[in-house]
């Protein structure tokens, strides 16, 4: 059908953030274009002057940037294409596919009411008045819906048919010469060479109207693919203006861009049982033919689990970069060199325990904490008085280990030997030592904790603990 280079586009109206549903639409367009060696373009539909601010447009660009969706070519701003929209309307007037309508708003309302009463679509009395020119009166340009029917063969929804008499003679240009969405989108898509329009199925009915405009202008009609909307976990429609649903909200929940890309792409699209995939795999496999027709539901547990896989796949540098805000938040400021070094060493051991960056920061807390480590609540209870002598023993034993020997296996051997020599269970030293070393933060194997903290930090924490928690106790605090 189309031999031209594949061109897809994402055409958001700037509302102040990149909506999660929009992000998925963008992803489908992105992968489809990549798969076919085509271009993925971005057009900001900023014709609604009240809502479209530069900041709102920037928020979309930032969202795309964070999500890792680079677009090809320059960003198109619909508001800058007004003369092309007007030209197309002129052309339609010339060829008799549109007409000037001089109804004032009151008359228009009357006609509208009448068409409603008669159960038919809106037709203006000026439709058959010839192309009357009345330079003194304001007019709108209306599309002259032809007789017959419109059939759209949608790549996702299948064949959809409308009787044209159900379509209003819609306004193309307002009295001030500004275009309406329906015209602007067709003209822009045509001039951008868009071959495939992949968007939410709330635009399905627009496809019929837009196809009529393409045909009237004698332009190739792109392939339409209307993808089901995303619903909330409760099955209710997600609202576009719901503040919590921009991709920035998901960033703040600790998702990685790669994890979110995977989850959103998989939402409503599948290839066999492929759940976890890279961009290369998604690009290779992506096909509109297997997009589900049923609405997709957000499932946060699944999202976290997919993200967890991507945390394991991510290069360490990415985790440190994307995680930085979370580590710093927990630390009330930037990490110093020693904290950063401990974090890096601990990373491979804690990644498997975290599905989001928030969880990663929680799991990292035992190494990123600064001395003196505060021990509170339940953890403090493990510092029983009989543990004091044992902690002092361990302080001496561990203090005898040289820096070069400070390794997990050797440390474990020392701890084990101590419990054996003293005929005590490991728990007797495990709980108080862990309390001193971590303050109760989630932590792995005790010998690993010692190794990851490093000799000086670990011994320092034991010393702090003995000084701050036992001496105070003895003083009756
Ligand atoms: N600007 C429209 C929206 O944000 C999309 C238009 C289109 O994809 O054709 O819903």
């Amino acid at each position: 059908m189309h031999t031209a280079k594949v061109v897809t586009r994402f055409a958001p109206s700037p509302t102040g953030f990149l909506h999660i549903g929009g992000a998925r639409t963008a992803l489908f367009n992105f992968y489809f274009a990549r798969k076919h060696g085509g271009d993925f373009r971005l057009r900001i539909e900023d014709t609604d002057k009240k809502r479209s601010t530069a900041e709102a447009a920037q928020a979309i660009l930032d969202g795309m940037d964070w999500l890792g969706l680079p677009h090809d070519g320059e960003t198109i701003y619909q508001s800058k294409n007004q003369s092309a929209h007007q030209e197309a309307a002129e052309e339609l007037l010339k060829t008799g596919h549109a007409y000037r309508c001089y109804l004032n708003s009151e008359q228009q309302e009357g006609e509208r009411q009448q068409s409603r009463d008669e159960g038919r679509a809106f037709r203006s009395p000026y439709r058959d008045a010839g192309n009357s020119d009345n330079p003194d009166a304001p007019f709108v340009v209306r599309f002259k819906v032809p007789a017959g029917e419109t059939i759209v063969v949608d790549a996702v929804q299948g064949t959809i048919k409308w009787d044209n008499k159900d379509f209003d003679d819609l306004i193309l240009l307002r009295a001030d010469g500004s275009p309406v969405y329906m015209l602007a989108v067709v003209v822009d898509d045509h001039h951008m060479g868009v071959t495939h329009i992949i968007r939410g199925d709330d635009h399905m009915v627009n496809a019929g109207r837009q196809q009529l405009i393409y045909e009237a202008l004698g332009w190739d009609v792109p392939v339409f693919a209307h993808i089901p909307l995303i619903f909330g976990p409760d099955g209710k429609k997600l609202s576009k203006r719901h503040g919590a649903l921009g991709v920035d909200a998901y960033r703040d929940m600790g998702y990685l861009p790669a994890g979110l890309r995977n989850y959103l792409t998989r939402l409503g699209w599948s290839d066999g049982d492929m759940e976890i995939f890279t961009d290369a795999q998604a690009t290779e496999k992506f096909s509109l033919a297997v997009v589900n027709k049923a609405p997709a539901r957000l499932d946060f547990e699944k999202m976290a689990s997919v993200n967890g896989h991507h945390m394991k796949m991510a290069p360490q540098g990415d985790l440190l970069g994307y995680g930085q805000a979370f580590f710093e938040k927990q630390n009330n400021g930037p990490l110093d060199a020693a904290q950063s070094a401990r974090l890096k060493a601990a990373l491979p051991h804690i990644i498997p325990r975290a599905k989001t960056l928030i969880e990663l920061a929680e799991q990292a807390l035992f190494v990123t904490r600064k001395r003196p480590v505060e021990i509170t609540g339940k953890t403090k209870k493990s510092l029983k008085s009989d543990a004091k002598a044992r902690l002092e023993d361990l302080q001496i034993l561990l203090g005898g280990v040289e820096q070069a020997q400070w390794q997990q296996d050797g440390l474990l051997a020392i701890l084990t030997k101590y419990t054996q020599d003293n005929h005590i269970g490991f728990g007797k030293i495990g709980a108080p030592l862990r309390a001193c070393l971590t303050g109760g933060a989630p932590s792995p194997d005790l010998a690993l904790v010692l190794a990851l903290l490093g000799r000086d930090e670990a011994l320092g924490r034991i010393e702090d603990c003995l000084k701050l928690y036992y001496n105070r106790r003895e003083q009756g605090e």
Side-chain angles (χ1 to χ4, degrees), residues 9 11-13 43 45 181 185 189 197 199 203 210 240:
R9 60 26 168 211
S13 309
R43 181 175 70 237
E45 305 220 307
Y181 156 74
V185 80
D189 281 336
I197 295 180
R199 62 186 173 190
H203 285 289
Q210 287 163 8
K240 214 175 184 177

Side-chain angles (χ1 to χ4, degrees), residues 161-219:
K161 217 192 271 188
W162 294 271
D163 194 325
N164 292 355
K165 67 178 173 20
D166 295 330
F167 287 142
D168 288 336
D169 274 2
L170 61 98
I171 294 176
L172 299 173
L173 287 186
R174 301 185 189 93
D176 65 1
S178 64
V180 301
Y181 156 74
M182 209 67 80
L183 174 67
V185 80
V186 168
V187 174
D188 290 350
D189 281 336
H190 174 72
H191 289 311
M192 288 164 72
V194 170
T195 57
H196 293 75
I197 295 180
I198 306 169
R199 62 186 173 190
D201 66 7
D202 49 336
H203 285 289
M204 189 65 230
V205 66
N206 294 338
R209 297 191 166 103
Q210 287 163 8
Q211 180 162 308
L212 284 173
I213 300 176
Y214 276 102
E215 286 166 353
L217 285 161
W219 292 345

